[in-house]
Amino acid sequence: MRLTVRRAGPFDARALAEVLETAGDAVAAKKAMRAQLDAHGTLCHLVEDEHGIILGFQCIAPIPEVGAGAGIISFTISGNLAIEAGSTLFKATRAAARDAGFDWLEARVRADNTKALTYYQSRGFEALRDAAPYLRLRYDLR
């Protein structure tokens, strides 16, 4: 199956909220996604199959209080294509982050979210320190 990555925009908020729907209230998720997509400095990419079905997305946004880094969030639908979708997304996100001049990416992941921890660590993110109940993971873009 062919996967395509493209830059996400405000018009994608509803579809991205559907990806988030399993994590909570879809209405709140749509509002949050719209705000994220409209935020200054936020770069989001989505991955879709050949039928236009969105399989996941990643967003990065500056973390002004800590310098030249960006926070990253990642969501993919469950299923056979989740690993491929995540890999495809990260290639585009990493390139966009470098192009935007970021030096590193930081993910904050709940310590009990083993899928997310495995995903980020398999991409080369390293644990910084524990900020219970979250772990901070960093990827050096230099």
mmCIF file of all heavy atoms in Angstrom, residues 60-71 97-98 100-106 138-142:
data_model
loop_
_atom_site.group_PDB
_atom_site.id
_atom_site.type_symbol
_atom_site.label_atom_id
_atom_site.label_comp_id
_atom_site.label_asym_id
_atom_site.label_seq_id
_atom_site.Cartn_x
_atom_site.Cartn_y
_atom_site.Cartn_z
ATOM 1 N N ILE A 60 4.898 19.539 15.290
ATOM 2 C CA ILE A 60 5.991 20.098 16.075
ATOM 3 C C ILE A 60 5.682 21.573 16.300
ATOM 4 O O ILE A 60 5.064 22.222 15.451
ATOM 5 C CB ILE A 60 7.371 19.907 15.410
ATOM 6 C CG1 ILE A 60 7.404 20.525 14.005
ATOM 7 C CG2 ILE A 60 7.764 18.438 15.378
ATOM 8 C CD1 ILE A 60 8.798 20.543 13.373
ATOM 9 N N ALA A 61 6.103 22.062 17.445
ATOM 10 C CA ALA A 61 5.893 23.470 17.783
ATOM 11 C C ALA A 61 7.057 23.935 18.635
ATOM 12 O O ALA A 61 7.601 23.164 19.439
ATOM 13 C CB ALA A 61 4.579 23.648 18.534
ATOM 14 N N PRO A 62 7.449 25.198 18.473
ATOM 15 C CA PRO A 62 8.565 25.723 19.271
ATOM 16 C C PRO A 62 8.290 25.615 20.765
ATOM 17 O O PRO A 62 7.143 25.699 21.202
ATOM 18 C CB PRO A 62 8.640 27.198 18.863
ATOM 19 C CG PRO A 62 7.843 27.326 17.617
ATOM 20 C CD PRO A 62 6.849 26.203 17.613
ATOM 21 N N ILE A 63 9.366 25.422 21.523
ATOM 22 C CA ILE A 63 9.300 25.467 22.986
ATOM 23 C C ILE A 63 10.129 26.680 23.391
ATOM 24 O O ILE A 63 11.328 26.560 23.645
ATOM 25 C CB ILE A 63 9.868 24.182 23.632
ATOM 26 C CG1 ILE A 63 9.195 22.936 23.062
ATOM 27 C CG2 ILE A 63 9.710 24.232 25.153
ATOM 28 C CD1 ILE A 63 9.800 21.635 23.550
ATOM 29 N N PRO A 64 9.518 27.863 23.402
ATOM 30 C CA PRO A 64 10.282 29.101 23.594
ATOM 31 C C PRO A 64 11.096 29.155 24.885
ATOM 32 O O PRO A 64 12.196 29.703 24.888
ATOM 33 C CB PRO A 64 9.206 30.192 23.602
ATOM 34 C CG PRO A 64 7.995 29.576 23.033
ATOM 35 C CD PRO A 64 8.105 28.102 23.242
ATOM 36 N N GLU A 65 10.590 28.565 25.941
ATOM 37 C CA GLU A 65 11.290 28.672 27.222
ATOM 38 C C GLU A 65 12.583 27.872 27.303
ATOM 39 O O GLU A 65 13.347 28.032 28.237
ATOM 40 C CB GLU A 65 10.356 28.297 28.386
ATOM 41 C CG GLU A 65 9.884 26.860 28.405
ATOM 42 C CD GLU A 65 8.617 26.586 27.601
ATOM 43 O OE1 GLU A 65 8.164 27.470 26.852
ATOM 44 O OE2 GLU A 65 8.101 25.461 27.699
ATOM 45 N N VAL A 66 12.837 27.022 26.319
ATOM 46 C CA VAL A 66 14.057 26.214 26.382
ATOM 47 C C VAL A 66 14.955 26.365 25.158
ATOM 48 O O VAL A 66 15.864 25.577 24.964
ATOM 49 C CB VAL A 66 13.746 24.720 26.628
ATOM 50 C CG1 VAL A 66 13.177 24.507 28.007
ATOM 51 C CG2 VAL A 66 12.813 24.165 25.584
ATOM 52 N N GLY A 67 14.721 27.343 24.319
ATOM 53 C CA GLY A 67 15.649 27.608 23.225
ATOM 54 C C GLY A 67 15.232 27.073 21.885
ATOM 55 O O GLY A 67 14.083 27.176 21.490
ATOM 56 N N ALA A 68 16.167 26.465 21.192
ATOM 57 C CA ALA A 68 16.010 26.108 19.786
ATOM 58 C C ALA A 68 15.389 24.741 19.557
ATOM 59 O O ALA A 68 15.643 24.093 18.550
ATOM 60 C CB ALA A 68 17.364 26.187 19.085
ATOM 61 N N GLY A 69 14.574 24.301 20.484
ATOM 62 C CA GLY A 69 13.946 22.997 20.345
ATOM 63 C C GLY A 69 12.471 23.109 20.015
ATOM 64 O O GLY A 69 11.870 24.171 20.103
ATOM 65 N N ALA A 70 11.908 21.977 19.620
ATOM 66 C CA ALA A 70 10.485 21.900 19.323
ATOM 67 C C ALA A 70 9.898 20.690 20.031
ATOM 68 O O ALA A 70 10.534 19.642 20.129
ATOM 69 C CB ALA A 70 10.250 21.783 17.819
ATOM 70 N N GLY A 71 8.683 20.847 20.510
ATOM 71 C CA GLY A 71 7.936 19.713 21.045
ATOM 72 C C GLY A 71 7.327 18.943 19.890
ATOM 73 O O GLY A 71 7.034 19.510 18.833
ATOM 74 N N ALA A 97 11.595 19.981 10.580
ATOM 75 C CA ALA A 97 12.195 20.566 11.790
ATOM 76 C C ALA A 97 13.583 21.128 11.487
ATOM 77 O O ALA A 97 13.929 22.226 11.946
ATOM 78 C CB ALA A 97 12.268 19.523 12.904
ATOM 79 N N ARG A 98 14.361 20.391 10.731
ATOM 80 C CA ARG A 98 15.688 20.894 10.351
ATOM 81 C C ARG A 98 15.563 22.137 9.480
ATOM 82 O O ARG A 98 16.268 23.123 9.683
ATOM 83 C CB ARG A 98 16.464 19.802 9.617
ATOM 84 C CG ARG A 98 16.990 18.730 10.535
ATOM 85 C CD ARG A 98 17.794 17.689 9.790
ATOM 86 N NE ARG A 98 18.392 16.751 10.716
ATOM 87 C CZ ARG A 98 18.458 15.453 10.503
ATOM 88 N NH1 ARG A 98 18.005 14.922 9.379
ATOM 89 N NH2 ARG A 98 19.021 14.663 11.402
ATOM 90 N N ALA A 100 13.242 24.268 9.497
ATOM 91 C CA ALA A 100 12.745 25.373 10.322
ATOM 92 C C ALA A 100 13.815 25.893 11.282
ATOM 93 O O ALA A 100 13.590 26.873 11.980
ATOM 94 C CB ALA A 100 11.510 24.931 11.099
ATOM 95 N N GLY A 101 14.971 25.207 11.340
ATOM 96 C CA GLY A 101 16.078 25.676 12.169
ATOM 97 C C GLY A 101 16.101 25.150 13.584
ATOM 98 O O GLY A 101 16.868 25.640 14.424
ATOM 99 N N PHE A 102 15.297 24.139 13.884
ATOM 100 C CA PHE A 102 15.314 23.560 15.228
ATOM 101 C C PHE A 102 16.568 22.705 15.408
ATOM 102 O O PHE A 102 17.037 22.066 14.472
ATOM 103 C CB PHE A 102 14.067 22.713 15.485
ATOM 104 C CG PHE A 102 12.795 23.510 15.531
ATOM 105 C CD1 PHE A 102 11.802 23.305 14.599
ATOM 106 C CD2 PHE A 102 12.602 24.469 16.511
ATOM 107 C CE1 PHE A 102 10.624 24.043 14.633
ATOM 108 C CE2 PHE A 102 11.430 25.212 16.564
ATOM 109 C CZ PHE A 102 10.450 24.995 15.629
ATOM 110 N N ASP A 103 17.094 22.678 16.638
ATOM 111 C CA ASP A 103 18.263 21.865 16.958
ATOM 112 C C ASP A 103 17.884 20.487 17.503
ATOM 113 O O ASP A 103 18.669 19.553 17.428
ATOM 114 C CB ASP A 103 19.146 22.564 18.005
ATOM 115 C CG ASP A 103 19.824 23.793 17.445
ATOM 116 O OD1 ASP A 103 20.006 23.882 16.211
ATOM 117 O OD2 ASP A 103 20.184 24.678 18.246
ATOM 118 N N TRP A 104 16.701 20.382 18.084
ATOM 119 C CA TRP A 104 16.273 19.109 18.671
ATOM 120 C C TRP A 104 14.757 19.052 18.766
ATOM 121 O O TRP A 104 14.075 20.071 18.667
ATOM 122 C CB TRP A 104 16.911 18.868 20.039
ATOM 123 C CG TRP A 104 16.866 20.056 20.963
ATOM 124 C CD1 TRP A 104 17.853 20.991 21.152
ATOM 125 C CD2 TRP A 104 15.796 20.460 21.814
ATOM 126 N NE1 TRP A 104 17.447 21.930 22.056
ATOM 127 C CE2 TRP A 104 16.195 21.635 22.484
ATOM 128 C CE3 TRP A 104 14.539 19.947 22.080
ATOM 129 C CZ2 TRP A 104 15.374 22.294 23.390
ATOM 130 C CZ3 TRP A 104 13.717 20.610 22.985
ATOM 131 C CH2 TRP A 104 14.146 21.758 23.636
ATOM 132 N N LEU A 105 14.250 17.843 18.946
ATOM 133 C CA LEU A 105 12.829 17.594 19.176
ATOM 134 C C LEU A 105 12.673 16.968 20.549
ATOM 135 O O LEU A 105 13.519 16.164 20.963
ATOM 136 C CB LEU A 105 12.261 16.632 18.123
ATOM 137 C CG LEU A 105 12.305 17.099 16.678
ATOM 138 C CD1 LEU A 105 11.869 15.970 15.746
ATOM 139 C CD2 LEU A 105 11.432 18.323 16.486
ATOM 140 N N GLU A 106 11.608 17.320 21.241
ATOM 141 C CA GLU A 106 11.344 16.732 22.561
ATOM 142 C C GLU A 106 9.924 16.198 22.618
ATOM 143 O O GLU A 106 8.967 16.892 22.278
ATOM 144 C CB GLU A 106 11.526 17.771 23.664
ATOM 145 C CG GLU A 106 11.317 17.169 25.040
ATOM 146 C CD GLU A 106 11.574 18.175 26.152
ATOM 147 O OE1 GLU A 106 12.703 18.698 26.220
ATOM 148 O OE2 GLU A 106 10.646 18.415 26.936
ATOM 149 N N ARG A 138 14.398 13.146 23.949
ATOM 150 C CA ARG A 138 14.927 14.150 23.035
ATOM 151 C C ARG A 138 15.634 13.502 21.856
ATOM 152 O O ARG A 138 16.328 12.509 21.992
ATOM 153 C CB ARG A 138 15.887 15.077 23.765
ATOM 154 C CG ARG A 138 16.343 16.227 22.870
ATOM 155 C CD ARG A 138 17.131 17.260 23.618
ATOM 156 N NE ARG A 138 16.221 18.040 24.444
ATOM 157 C CZ ARG A 138 16.616 19.084 25.181
ATOM 158 N NH1 ARG A 138 17.877 19.458 25.189
ATOM 159 N NH2 ARG A 138 15.757 19.750 25.893
ATOM 160 N N TYR A 139 15.461 14.137 20.685
ATOM 161 C CA TYR A 139 16.119 13.709 19.444
ATOM 162 C C TYR A 139 16.965 14.879 18.949
ATOM 163 O O TYR A 139 16.444 15.979 18.733
ATOM 164 C CB TYR A 139 15.060 13.340 18.405
ATOM 165 C CG TYR A 139 15.641 12.859 17.100
ATOM 166 C CD1 TYR A 139 15.953 11.510 16.915
ATOM 167 C CD2 TYR A 139 15.875 13.735 16.048
ATOM 168 C CE1 TYR A 139 16.477 11.077 15.721
ATOM 169 C CE2 TYR A 139 16.402 13.300 14.856
ATOM 170 C CZ TYR A 139 16.705 11.971 14.699
ATOM 171 O OH TYR A 139 17.235 11.521 13.508
ATOM 172 N N ASP A 140 18.244 14.653 18.760
ATOM 173 C CA ASP A 140 19.155 15.689 18.293
ATOM 174 C C ASP A 140 19.088 15.790 16.774
ATOM 175 O O ASP A 140 19.310 14.801 16.080
ATOM 176 C CB ASP A 140 20.571 15.366 18.744
ATOM 177 C CG ASP A 140 21.567 16.477 18.500
ATOM 178 O OD1 ASP A 140 21.179 17.525 17.936
ATOM 179 O OD2 ASP A 140 22.728 16.323 18.871
ATOM 180 N N LEU A 141 18.787 16.971 16.261
ATOM 181 C CA LEU A 141 18.673 17.172 14.822
ATOM 182 C C LEU A 141 19.980 17.614 14.179
ATOM 183 O O LEU A 141 20.072 17.692 12.961
ATOM 184 C CB LEU A 141 17.606 18.245 14.527
ATOM 185 C CG LEU A 141 16.179 17.826 14.830
ATOM 186 C CD1 LEU A 141 15.265 19.049 14.906
ATOM 187 C CD2 LEU A 141 15.680 16.852 13.785
ATOM 188 N N ARG A 142 20.993 17.910 14.985
ATOM 189 C CA ARG A 142 22.257 18.385 14.423
ATOM 190 C C ARG A 142 23.104 17.268 13.907
ATOM 191 O O ARG A 142 23.020 16.166 14.063
ATOM 192 C CB ARG A 142 23.041 19.166 15.466
ATOM 193 C CG ARG A 142 22.352 20.466 15.788
ATOM 194 C CD ARG A 142 23.019 21.217 16.877
ATOM 195 N NE ARG A 142 22.377 20.748 18.106
ATOM 196 C CZ ARG A 142 22.948 20.693 19.279
ATOM 197 N NH1 ARG A 142 24.170 21.096 19.436
ATOM 198 N NH2 ARG A 142 22.310 20.283 20.335
#
